[in-house]
Amino acid sequence: MKIIVPDGVKQDAPKAVPAPAVARGLVAGASTNRSSSAAPQLTHFAFSGNGYSYGYCTYYVASRRAVPSNWGNANAWYYNAQASGFSVGSTPVAGAIAWTGAGYYGHVAYVESVNGNSVTVSEMNFNGGWNRVSSRTVSAGEFRYIY
């Protein structure tokens, strides 16, 4: 086999274009403000709309906090939040999402306030039935938190 090079000059191979830097595990629009303060910082997520089924706890919490619409049922939110770049932990903070994997679908609620070892949450579809918002004050240890 004979290779013919035009004008007898071999061209250099094209140079690879580097891929843009992507932060692994972060959802577009998610940013965390990690500081050295004792209280966890809430994650800010640029999103509008609510992709969750109306009347359920996930719908209510997504209407109070901007979160990605692909986290699924409540029982998956804690792990999907971590994978999306949201901070998580066991310290309650007003404005955080309270999460528990208890029950078949799990449950999420919105943290209204914290008083010592107690947390007041508002939630939907827990106490009073489907599409009803209620609130309760419980031990902070009943939940894990998504910031």
Side-chain angles (χ1 to χ4, degrees):
M1 177 176 200
K2 186 176 182 184
I3 299 176
I4 300 174
V5 178
D7 295 328
V9 178
K10 181 180 173 188
Q11 293 180 332
D12 292 334
K15 296 186 191 241
V17 177
V22 174
R24 300 187 77 206
L26 293 178
V27 170
S31 67
T32 55
N33 181 3
R34 304 200 195 281
S35 67
S36 60
S37 67
Q41 300 293 310
L42 298 179
T43 301
H44 300 286
F45 179 72
F47 176 78
S48 62
N50 187 332
Y52 294 93
S53 296
Y54 181 79
Y56 294 98
C57 62
T58 50
Y59 176 85
Y60 176 72
V61 172
S63 71
R64 299 290 308 270
R65 278 281 306 273
V67 296
S69 60
N70 64 345
W71 283 359
N73 290 325
N75 58 0
W77 275 38
Y78 192 81
Y79 308 103
N80 286 332
Q82 285 179 300
S84 298
F86 283 67
S87 298
V88 297
S90 58
T91 304
V93 175
I97 299 167
W99 173 89
T100 179
Y104 188 78
Y105 295 109
H107 187 64
V108 288
Y110 182 80
V111 177
E112 297 290 349
S113 64
V114 179
N115 186 7
N117 290 330
S118 296
V119 60
T120 300
V121 297
S122 62
E123 57 204 334
M124 185 175 272
N125 200 25
F126 181 80
N127 199 8
W130 181 84
N131 193 33
R132 299 206 184 233
V133 176
S134 59
S135 65
R136 60 186 167 129
T137 301
V138 297
S139 168
E142 288 194 26
F143 295 105
R144 289 191 180 185
Y145 301 93
I146 300 169
Y147 311 113

